Amino acid sequence: MSRINKNVVLALLTLTSSAFLLFQLYYYKHYLSTKNGAGLSKSKGSRIGFDSTQWEGWFRIAENMGFQCLKIESKDPRLDGIDSLSGTEIPLHYICKLATHAIHLVVFHERSGNYLWHGHLRLKRHIDRKFVPFRKLQFGRYPGAFDRPELQQVAVDGLEVLIPKDPMHFLEEIPHSRFIECRYKEARAFFQQYLDDNTVEAMAFRKSAKELLQLAAKTLNKLGVQFWLSSGTCLGWYRQCNIIPYSRDVDLGIFIQDYKPDIILAFQDAGLPLKHKFGKVEDSLELSFQGKDDVKLDIFFFYEETDHMWNGGTQAKTGKKFKYLFPKFTLCWTEFVDMKVHVPCETIEYIEANYGKTWKIPVKTWDWKHSPPNVQPNGIWPISEWDEVIQLY
């Protein structure tokens, strides 16, 4: 490693300290203003965090120190749901270089799910591709979502800087932070073709389903169990950025290796009694819990084979087993009903497996045994096992 001039080191540390300071100031400015009721409503398209003059001030300081700086901006995704405001741009990345050294400042913005988000490092046409080796920059290959970190002040070579209080947790989040936005443009097009159901019944169901999803997420997060939006709940997010009002339930997926025996007790303690339990941990496990207002929570456990994933289904009256095949997928974050939740990164493949190529067309009559294109028979449970694998409450 080549020796670095002491002045360059001090300049780098000063800028890094400034970056963390800006982050903390943004963090507490918005947090305190929102907590005290001083912040503007997000539903009205308020911008969150530093205004442009504060960021530009940091930009000028860096340039006055001899750095060459590059700013990456893009439209604010938090305003995509508000069509008239979707063109507003916000700063996403600042890159400043001095000689052969560079600082990459990633701007974190608060989202309504009480988490932090950073945008994609997407280079516009006029940007010099040789400004820095962009391919080596860790942040920005895709948008990312992170838990809100608590910051602490530490000294580095005599310089006070701010870092996450739990740096290991922050670093562990990085490789799993990929974020997918809801497709508001496509959702608007969907509702132009198929009018949204805004009846009292539909609004009441969406409210109950949202509360049930939030309670389920809180319960599973306490257990440390990773989950994602599945089946009709995933379709609602991807197709219309909302809960499908005629779905009548909330659907979640969990990898079977993440199963914990105390899941049932944890949901019962949260006020959600077990409605049915089908299958067993080794094969076709499925849990259903009863929420309020006759809205139920279905949890499907996914099993991995060599070239595909699958979850099972059981017909209580006959003991017939069914298998639903999915191409292999990974998990990304998204925002749904004011929550940071997981969805399959390969979303379109996941949805088409479950609903076919015509998934854009609403279907209100659905037979779980025959309608999904990815369903296939999977044998019959032996009668001797029914007491274990078919439990109704």
Side-chain angles (χ1 to χ4, degrees):
M1 187 179 205
S2 60
R3 294 178 62 84
I4 305 174
N5 183 280
K6 184 177 180 181
N7 291 331
V8 173
V9 173
L10 291 175
L12 288 169
L13 287 173
T14 301
L15 277 176
T16 303
S17 178
S18 300
F20 276 114
L21 179 59
L22 286 173
F23 177 85
Q24 189 188 49
L25 287 174
Y26 136 72
Y27 174 100
Y28 285 107
K29 175 185 176 184
H30 177 70
Y31 174 74
L32 292 175
S33 64
T34 302
K35 183 177 180 181
N36 295 329
L40 296 174
S41 169
K42 296 186 186 70
S43 63
K44 296 181 181 180
S46 62
R47 295 188 62 183
I48 301 170
F50 268 78
D51 59 38
S52 59
T53 57
Q54 289 168 301
W55 288 114
E56 292 301 329
W58 183 90
F59 206 54
R60 287 193 297 271
I61 291 172
E63 290 181 328
N64 290 338
M65 295 173 64
F67 283 81
Q68 293 176 277
C69 294
L70 181 68
K71 177 174 64 174
I72 307 294
E73 292 182 313
S74 187
K75 67 177 184 178
D76 191 339
R78 296 165 297 181
L79 305 180
D80 275 353
I82 309 171
D83 198 26
S84 61
L85 297 173
S86 60
T88 305
E89 290 205 338
I90 55 174
L92 298 180
H93 298 264
Y94 289 89
I95 301 172
C96 293
K97 70 174 183 177
L98 183 63
T100 59
H101 306 283
I103 290 177
H104 180 196
L105 171 61
V106 183
V107 184
F108 283 77
H109 298 268
E110 184 173 2
R111 301 288 291 249
S112 60
N114 195 33
Y115 64 96
L116 300 179
W117 166 91
H118 70 78
H120 184 197
L121 181 58
R122 181 178 288 115
L123 303 182
K124 298 181 179 180
R125 290 184 179 180
H126 67 278
I127 292 178
D128 179 10
R129 262 62 176 175
K130 297 181 181 180
F131 185 76
V132 293
F134 290 101
R135 292 181 181 275
K136 294 184 179 181
L137 298 181
Q138 190 170 31
F139 281 94
R141 296 175 186 172
Y142 42 75
F146 290 77
D147 294 336
R148 182 198 297 273
E150 182 180 354
L151 301 179
Q152 66 177 348
Q153 192 173 60
V154 299
V156 179
D157 288 343
L159 184 66
E160 298 292 329
V161 297
L162 295 168
I163 64 171
K165 193 170 184 178
D166 185 354
M168 285 305 299
H169 176 70
F170 181 81
L171 294 173
E172 288 169 355
E173 285 187 279
I174 294 174
H176 309 289
S177 63
R178 187 174 179 181
F179 184 91
I180 302 175
E181 291 289 350
C182 182
R183 307 177 330 136
Y184 286 106
K185 181 179 179 181
E186 289 79 1
R188 284 192 288 268
F190 174 83
F191 286 123
Q192 287 178 353
Q193 186 172 4
Y194 306 100
L195 294 180
D196 195 8
D197 186 350
N198 290 318
T199 61
V200 173
E201 293 79 8
M203 299 296 285
F205 168 74
R206 280 179 170 152
K207 180 177 182 296
S208 297
K210 176 181 177 180
E211 292 173 354
L212 179 58
L213 178 57
Q214 291 174 335
L215 179 58
K218 182 179 179 180
T219 303
L220 291 171
N221 288 336
K222 280 185 178 180
L223 291 173
V225 174
Q226 183 175 247
F227 69 93
W228 65 90
L229 305 182
S230 189
S231 302
T233 306
C234 184
L235 175 63
W237 163 75
Y238 191 72
R239 187 176 67 188
Q240 52 212 73
C241 297
N242 209 335
I243 295 169
I244 298 175
Y246 53 82
S247 61
R248 309 316 303 170
D249 57 18
V250 171
D251 302 309
L252 301 180
I254 295 176
F255 293 122
I256 193 61
Q257 61 264 28
D258 293 328
Y259 170 80
K260 292 186 178 181
D262 50 353
I263 284 179
I264 294 176
L265 180 60
F267 275 106
Q268 290 175 333
D269 288 344
L272 301 176
L274 185 64
K275 184 177 177 66
H276 71 240
K277 176 185 177 184
F278 293 151
K280 49 189 175 181
V281 175
E282 311 90 77
D283 183 7
S284 306
L285 183 63
E286 174 189 339
L287 301 176
S288 183
F289 298 91
Q290 186 62 59
K292 68 176 185 179
D293 301 325
D294 204 31
V295 181
K296 64 187 179 74
L297 169 70
D298 290 331
I299 300 180
F300 305 102
F301 290 86
F302 279 65
Y303 300 77
E304 183 174 1
E305 302 289 351
T306 303
D307 58 353
H308 67 276
M309 304 276 197
W310 65 276
N311 74 280
T314 296
Q315 187 176 29
K317 292 182 180 180
T318 65
K320 288 183 178 180
K321 299 168 60 182
F322 299 88
K323 179 182 285 189
Y324 302 85
L325 305 182
F326 293 84
K328 287 194 172 183
F329 58 90
T330 54
L331 297 180
C332 288
W333 292 110
T334 192
E335 184 174 305
F336 186 60
V337 294
D338 298 326
M339 293 175 55
K340 184 184 77 153
V341 293
H342 275 124
V343 292
C345 299
E346 299 77 12
T347 319
I348 186 63
E349 293 84 359
Y350 188 88
I351 287 177
E352 286 186 354
N354 215 179
Y355 296 99
K357 299 288 186 180
T358 59
W359 57 269
K360 292 183 181 180
I361 302 173
V363 177
K364 296 187 179 181
T365 303
W366 188 260
D367 183 345
W368 62 270
K369 302 180 297 298
H370 302 104
S371 297
N374 63 337
V375 65
Q376 62 178 232
N378 192 31
I380 300 177
W381 290 109
I383 294 179
S384 60
E385 295 185 14
W386 280 27
D387 287 344
E388 176 190 0
V389 299
I390 302 175
Q391 299 180 19
L392 302 173
Y393 299 89

